[in-house]
Amino acid sequence: MAHTCRGTISLATVHIEVGDTCHLVLTSGGRNYHLKASSEVECQRWVSALQQAKANATQMMHQSDDSGDEVTVAQPDRALTSGALKTLISKLDDLSTCNDLIGKHGAALQRSLSELEDLRCPSDGNDKLKTVNERATLFRITSNAMINACRDFVDLAEGHSRRWQRALQYEREQRHHLEETIEQLAKQHNNLERAWREAPKDQFCSILFLDTSDENEDVEFFDAMEDSPAFITVPASNHDTSGSYALQQRRGRRSRIPDKPNYSLNLWSIMKNCIGKELSKIPMPVNFNEPLSMLQRLTEDLEYSELLDRAARCVCTLEQMCLVAAFSVSSYSTTVHRIGKPFNPLLGETYELDRLEESGYRSICEQVSHHPPAAAHHVMSQRGWTLWQEITIDSKFRGKYISIMPLGHIHLLFHSSGNHYVWSKVTSTVHNIIVGKLWIDHSGDIEIVNRRTKDTCHLKFSPYSYFSRDVPRKVTGVVADSDGLAHYILSGSWDDKMESAKIVESSRGCVGSEVKQKTVYQTLPPKLLWKKYPLPENAENMHYFSSLALTLNEPEEGVAPTDSRLRPDQRLMEAGLWDEANVHKQRLEERQRLERKRREAQTNIALEEGREVEMYQPLWFEKRLDSETRESSYVYRGGYWEAKEKQDWSQCPSIF
């Protein structure tokens, strides 16, 4: 048949296996057909007929390939060659089966002949002769099948030998061509290294610095995470400060950015020598970045801040917990297509987002540490809540994938009730680093605790599995009170929506024969908590940015001179000038390496002289001790918005 349909199998690839008496099995494509004949003779006739049909089907499949042997083939069909090998193996299996049958039927025929010779009673002769004839017929049919199988095997081997010879010759030519290409690449690599060492610094190619990661394992490469310890103060701006920035006229936000250029660059060629290293220490050109900093990505968690506005109006703390859980999940929704790496902020870099008029909140972030890279974030809302967090990014490159583990806790306080929620983030993984399309997944557990009431919510992010029948990117959760009694079931996916269902009854029952019991909940119909916004038009050409992300790097007047919007390499990348962006990025990284070495030298001198080492102090955040966990973390000390109101940035270092 020219196509497949239900109930049919391909005889060209079928495997024929003879089982017990009168029983045979046909196997093809994971399906087994069990056939049973009325007698051994009938069974053997079917086996012979099926083997002959299989040989005919195989011959028809490859008939066109056996013609035109003199035609030069540019590239052999490797799938066809593999199929030929499978066919020959199948033929060998058939020969083995026939050999077993010949031995079996030959032994039976020998026994019958011996019994016939020992026959003494003439009345039993007819029955014995009938048995001998049947077994002789079986032996003859099996022998013919063996002869046919041998002939088919020889014909196939001869028919494919010429094709394999052409394939072997092609592979030899390809290997020779590949060896020449590798030799040329090695020469070009040596020439580039020589040119880099001899050329002045201002003539460096924007990408050449990538090749130096193997020369000195002690040299660390950064995405520009440090600042200069010798602060260069900036005098107060001469801008007109008559009038409050808080009262400035509301303006429209931008809805698009320049399209992403189509630059091709192999990620594996850069990262193959960085397996096991932290992501922040891997030299990466902007080709693998997105034009946002990690501070801006952290601020992007506020995309669905209206969930917290609704939660602030809740009277029931358990319903409030459901909305807080939905908010914690929503922060991952913008990452489903975002495989670009955010820029690592410099030490002392800040980012503000003033959305008092639109959404009722103000947000400020600051990079407070460079080893390990850590950022502090504070959000104050006029709609009844305050959020703060300190997140340290621990990332490892594992060869096939990159793991990103955010460490730290997120705190959320509702002003009217005093409910204080605490939770942490799950692990993010970028897959297919070596080959295939990059994709991101989030997996792990989130435990949200209300410190005042001791209510809890346990969320589980299921890792994506190709073989799973569950909804991709599935998230499930249970909201329980301080006694551990479940009240709500949460379900959904981190890239689409979350729903809550109130539990009206629960029971425990065994699952199958297992001893372990599973709680079964009976719930009311689910209610929608959160639904993802659709992406803007042309998002696939704008780094898959959401509507909020498109505005995060929009230039604004009056921000601090350390704001991420003013970072030159990031600004150039957004404009599509990636070569120029790489030059600035290299300049920042070179400056960071020099400053780091100088700071380390000053620390060593202070230790030798017995003086106290002065540690770096962030400008807008300070370390405080958590009264409940006894752990210290950076919290907002205040002063930023007052400095912005006065346009007094004299304390800010010059980091760009």
Side-chain angles (χ1 to χ4, degrees):
M1 299 181 64
H3 59 86
T4 59
C5 62
R6 183 179 292 276
T8 66
I9 59 175
S10 173
L11 285 174
T13 58
V14 75
H15 175 68
I16 305 171
E17 180 182 358
V18 180
D20 298 335
T21 306
C22 305
H23 179 242
L24 62 147
V25 181
L26 308 181
T27 303
S28 176
R31 291 171 296 178
N32 296 331
Y33 289 80
H34 298 265
L35 307 179
K36 188 173 184 180
S38 59
S39 65
E40 286 193 17
V41 176
E42 188 71 15
C43 179
Q44 190 56 52
R45 285 175 178 167
W46 272 102
V47 171
S48 300
L50 288 168
Q51 288 177 342
Q52 184 62 44
K54 177 180 178 179
N56 295 340
T58 304
Q59 185 175 2
M60 290 174 62
M61 177 183 290
H62 303 300
Q63 186 174 10
S64 60
D65 297 309
D66 292 333
S67 60
D69 292 336
E70 301 303 323
V71 180
T72 302
V73 181
Q75 181 173 358
D77 191 341
R78 299 187 180 185
L80 191 59
T81 302
S82 176
L85 289 174
K86 292 180 180 178
T87 303
L88 290 176
I89 292 173
S90 177
K91 285 295 178 185
L92 284 175
D93 291 340
D94 295 343
L95 288 174
S96 177
T97 301
C98 290
N99 181 57
D100 294 340
L101 288 173
I102 286 178
K104 174 183 175 182
H105 295 154
L109 180 60
Q110 185 65 40
R111 287 196 304 271
S112 296
L113 290 174
S114 299
E115 291 173 356
L116 189 60
E117 290 177 357
D118 298 338
L119 186 64
R120 296 179 180 178
C121 181
S123 60
D124 297 336
N126 292 333
D127 293 338
K128 294 296 182 181
L129 283 174
K130 184 178 179 180
T131 302
V132 169
N133 286 333
E134 287 184 354
R135 293 183 174 177
T137 301
L138 280 174
F139 187 77
R140 176 174 56 81
I141 293 173
T142 306
S143 300
N144 289 336
M146 181 71 170
I147 293 171
N148 291 334
C150 291
R151 185 184 298 114
D152 293 340
F153 182 81
V154 172
D155 291 343
L156 280 173
E158 290 179 349
H160 289 296
S161 63
R162 291 186 295 272
R163 185 181 303 109
W164 288 340
Q165 288 175 1
R166 296 196 301 272
L168 181 60
Q169 180 61 28
Y170 173 79
E171 293 297 335
R172 286 173 178 168
E173 293 175 356
Q174 288 293 99
R175 177 184 176 185
H176 180 67
H177 176 69
L178 185 60
E179 289 175 349
E180 291 180 345
T181 303
I182 291 175
E183 184 178 356
Q184 293 176 1
L185 288 174
K187 292 179 180 178
Q188 293 176 5
H189 184 270
N190 292 334
N191 292 336
L192 287 173
E193 284 188 343
R194 190 180 305 110
W196 181 37
R197 294 190 184 99
E198 296 174 356
K201 289 186 177 180
D202 58 352
Q203 296 180 4
F204 282 169
C205 173
S206 60
I207 298 296
L208 286 183
F209 73 95
L210 296 174
D211 294 329
T212 66
S213 57
D214 292 333
E215 292 184 8
N216 188 350
E217 286 295 327
D218 295 331
V219 176
E220 296 180 353
F221 292 85
F222 296 91
D223 227 344
M225 297 183 297
E226 303 175 67
D227 74 314
S228 171
F231 289 170
I232 303 175
T233 58
V234 180
S237 173
N238 293 326
H239 296 308
D240 181 15
T241 58
S242 60
S244 169
Y245 278 89
L247 300 177
Q248 64 183 354
Q249 184 178 2
R250 179 177 175 179
R251 60 180 175 81
R253 306 287 178 183
R254 68 181 183 181
S255 59
R256 64 169 295 108
I257 59 175
D259 287 358
K260 176 183 177 182
N262 186 19
Y263 286 120
S264 61
L265 192 60
N266 191 322
L267 180 60
W268 174 244
S269 65
I270 295 174
M271 305 194 69
K272 63 184 178 181
N273 297 319
C274 304
I275 296 176
K277 294 184 179 179
E278 290 185 20
L279 193 59
S280 61
K281 297 183 180 180
I282 297 177
M284 298 279 280
V286 300
N287 303 54
F288 299 112
N289 284 80
E290 62 177 19
L292 290 177
S293 73
M294 183 60 73
L295 302 181
Q296 290 165 313
R297 281 291 292 268
L298 202 60
T299 306
E300 202 175 345
D301 288 354
L302 301 172
E303 175 99 26
Y304 299 93
S305 63
E306 68 271 10
L307 289 171
L308 301 184
D309 298 341
R310 289 166 52 193
R313 298 191 295 269
C314 281
V315 177
C316 175
T317 58
L318 295 173
E319 292 180 1
Q320 188 179 72
M321 174 70 84
C322 292
L323 289 169
V324 172
F327 174 78
S328 69
V329 175
S330 71
S331 62
Y332 298 94
S333 64
T334 61
T335 66
V336 62
H337 301 295
R338 303 266 292 278
I339 46 85
K341 175 180 176 288
F343 282 80
N344 286 334
L346 299 107
L347 187 63
E349 184 174 335
T350 60
Y351 180 74
E352 67 154 81
L353 189 67
D354 191 341
R355 290 290 191 268
L356 275 181
E357 295 184 6
E358 296 97 325
S359 303
Y361 67 78
R362 276 177 165 178
S363 167
I364 176 65
C365 292
E366 183 179 5
Q367 189 76 0
V368 296
S369 171
H370 79 277
H371 264 315
H377 184 204
H378 183 270
V379 190
M380 186 279 299
S381 173
Q382 293 179 337
R383 298 176 182 176
W385 54 269
T386 299
L387 182 145
W388 67 97
Q389 59 181 321
E390 180 196 340
I391 297 296
T392 301
I393 301 297
D394 184 14
S395 54
K396 290 291 184 181
F397 173 51
R398 304 296 186 182
K400 292 183 180 180
Y401 61 90
I402 295 174
S403 294
I404 303 161
M405 292 81 69
L407 308 176
H409 293 90
I410 303 170
H411 296 258
L412 174 64
L413 178 66
F414 289 101
H415 303 162
S416 60
S417 63
N419 289 332
H420 183 179
Y421 296 88
V422 181
W423 71 93
S424 56
K425 291 180 175 286
V426 296
T427 298
S428 302
T429 307
V430 181
H431 296 270
N432 288 352
I433 299 300
I434 298 178
V435 64
K437 184 179 180 180
L438 294 174
W439 61 279
I440 192 168
D441 192 25
H442 307 286
S443 59
D445 296 335
I446 292 180
E447 191 77 21
I448 307 177
V449 178
N450 184 338
R451 287 187 174 180
R452 189 182 72 85
T453 65
K454 307 304 179 184
D455 297 339
T456 60
C457 174
H458 182 82
L459 292 172
K460 179 177 178 60
F461 287 63
S462 300
Y464 176 80
S465 173
Y466 179 80
F467 303 100
S468 175
R469 295 182 180 180
D470 290 334
V471 177
R473 310 176 183 94
K474 180 180 178 182
V475 180
T476 56
V478 178
V479 175
D481 59 23
S482 57
D483 297 326
L485 181 63
H487 290 265
Y488 287 90
I489 294 293
L490 305 180
S491 61
S493 58
W494 54 262
D495 67 327
D496 184 23
K497 64 179 180 179
M498 286 297 292
E499 296 177 332
S500 68
K502 185 176 179 58
I503 299 172
V504 294
E505 186 179 349
S506 63
S507 60
R508 302 183 70 85
C510 293
V511 181
S513 59
E514 297 179 1
V515 178
K516 185 178 180 180
Q517 290 185 332
K518 181 178 181 180
T519 303
V520 179
Y521 296 108
Q522 182 179 350
T523 66
L524 297 176
K527 295 182 179 180
L528 183 66
L529 293 173
W530 158 76
K531 176 73 175 174
K532 180 187 176 183
Y533 300 143
L535 288 174
E537 185 180 357
N538 196 40
E540 65 275 7
N541 295 319
M542 298 186 295
H543 308 274
Y544 286 98
F545 280 179
S546 65
S547 297
L548 175 64
L550 288 173
T551 68
L552 293 180
N553 205 43
E554 185 175 8
E556 289 191 13
E557 293 183 358
V559 299
T562 54
D563 197 274
S564 298
R565 298 176 180 88
L566 305 177
R567 181 165 176 163
D569 50 354
Q570 185 174 305
R571 178 63 59 191
L572 288 168
M573 185 202 172
E574 182 187 271
L577 304 174
W578 287 14
D579 290 338
E580 293 85 344
N582 275 317
V583 172
H584 279 275
K585 187 170 184 290
Q586 182 186 0
R587 173 183 62 82
L588 289 173
E589 289 173 339
E590 180 66 21
R591 175 182 176 182
Q592 299 311 300
R593 285 192 291 271
L594 295 175
E595 292 297 338
R596 175 178 58 84
K597 292 179 180 178
R598 190 170 73 87
R599 186 159 47 249
E600 288 177 353
Q602 291 178 344
T603 300
N604 293 333
I605 293 174
L607 291 174
E608 291 175 358
E609 296 177 353
R611 293 185 288 107
E612 183 179 355
V613 178
E614 294 185 5
M615 305 299 292
Y616 173 79
Q617 297 296 329
L619 195 56
W620 311 111
F621 289 81
E622 63 183 2
K623 271 200 172 185
R624 292 180 189 169
L625 193 66
D626 191 308
S627 59
E628 186 162 326
T629 64
R630 310 305 298 173
E631 295 178 356
S632 61
S633 60
Y634 282 99
V635 295
Y636 182 56
R637 74 167 74 198
Y640 179 86
W641 302 108
E642 292 78 5
K644 181 181 179 182
E645 181 75 18
K646 300 175 183 177
Q647 282 297 285
D648 179 12
W649 303 117
S650 57
Q651 302 179 71
C652 296
S654 176
I655 59 176
F656 298 136

